[in-house]
Amino acid sequence: MSSTRKVTADGAAWLVSAGTYPRSTLALWEERPDAPLVLPCGTVFDVVSAPAVFGRRMLDRLWAEGPGSGPVAVFRGRVVLFTAPGTAQRLPSLLAWEEWGSGGRTCGVPPLLCHGTGDAVTVPALRTPDAERSAARDDSRWLVAPDSRHPWLPGPEVALWAAVRAARETVRISIFPPAEQGAKVYDVSRRR
């Protein structure tokens, strides 16, 4: 996985470009670089949020077997994956097609929250003061900090791919619907 955990000047400029007044927002953030910032989704990026452990598995799959990721943060026990604009609109229908969390094939897989147009997310501070690093590790930090004005952002298909790969580690996914409660099931794979 990428080792970039500090937001660069170009990365900060990219993040604040999501807001209505990017120069003013950047000036305020540079004045208080240890403060988190709330930014709108939908134009520069969308966000897919997952519970911490599952989100980390998704991120591991992206870096181990896939194309990597764009910026990724941890905020209040959730992994926040920055994705291409439009992902929040498209990913839920792809997840529904996969019967994600509906009690079917993927029962036990945690829900993913998609934030797009009309939503806002809190992003970690530009930097974390040394005295607060240990407390901030659990609350808010960058796993992969933005480091360019044009970071690569995964789209809905890549996010789905990572979620399905992570789910395979979490639960057994079957192509068959679950058996009815109390139904007699016979193993016909072994014949005499």
Side-chain angles (χ1 to χ4, degrees):
M1 181 176 10
S2 173
S3 60
T4 307
R5 293 189 183 187
K6 182 178 184 266
V7 179
T8 64
D10 284 345
W14 171 74
L15 280 168
V16 299
S17 72
T20 307
Y21 304 103
R23 289 190 313 192
S24 299
T25 303
L26 186 57
L28 287 171
W29 209 9
E30 287 173 343
E31 187 177 302
R32 296 216 36 219
D34 57 338
L37 187 64
V38 176
L39 294 172
C41 299
T43 56
V44 174
F45 57 78
D46 280 0
V47 165
V48 174
S49 173
V53 173
F54 189 79
R56 187 55 193 234
R57 286 185 181 134
M58 285 178 62
L59 187 58
D60 289 347
R61 293 291 55 86
L62 283 168
W63 283 99
E65 302 167 11
S69 72
V72 179
V74 172
F75 186 75
R76 294 189 177 167
R78 295 189 69 87
V79 170
V80 178
L81 177 69
F82 287 75
T83 59
T87 299
Q89 182 180 359
R90 178 78 177 118
L91 186 57
S93 61
L94 293 174
L95 291 170
W97 185 78
E98 289 288 332
E99 298 177 15
W100 195 265
S102 65
R105 297 184 298 150
T106 58
C107 185
V109 176
L112 300 179
L113 304 177
C114 299
H115 304 283
T117 303
D119 297 326
V121 294
T122 302
V123 299
L126 288 175
R127 65 176 170 80
T128 307
D130 291 333
E132 297 176 18
R133 279 189 201 272
S134 61
R137 282 199 177 121
D138 295 330
D139 189 40
S140 174
R141 70 181 186 284
W142 290 102
L143 294 177
V144 180
D147 60 359
S148 75
R149 286 186 188 263
H150 304 286
W152 177 79
L153 298 172
E157 295 83 7
V158 173
L160 176 68
W161 175 90
V164 168
R165 296 299 185 287
R168 286 182 182 163
E169 294 176 16
T170 306
V171 296
R172 184 170 181 257
I173 298 176
S174 172
I175 61 170
F176 301 106
E180 293 180 29
Q181 292 289 358
K184 293 184 180 184
V185 179
Y186 300 98
D187 182 2
V188 294
S189 61
R190 290 191 229 173
R191 291 191 173 165
R192 292 184 185 205

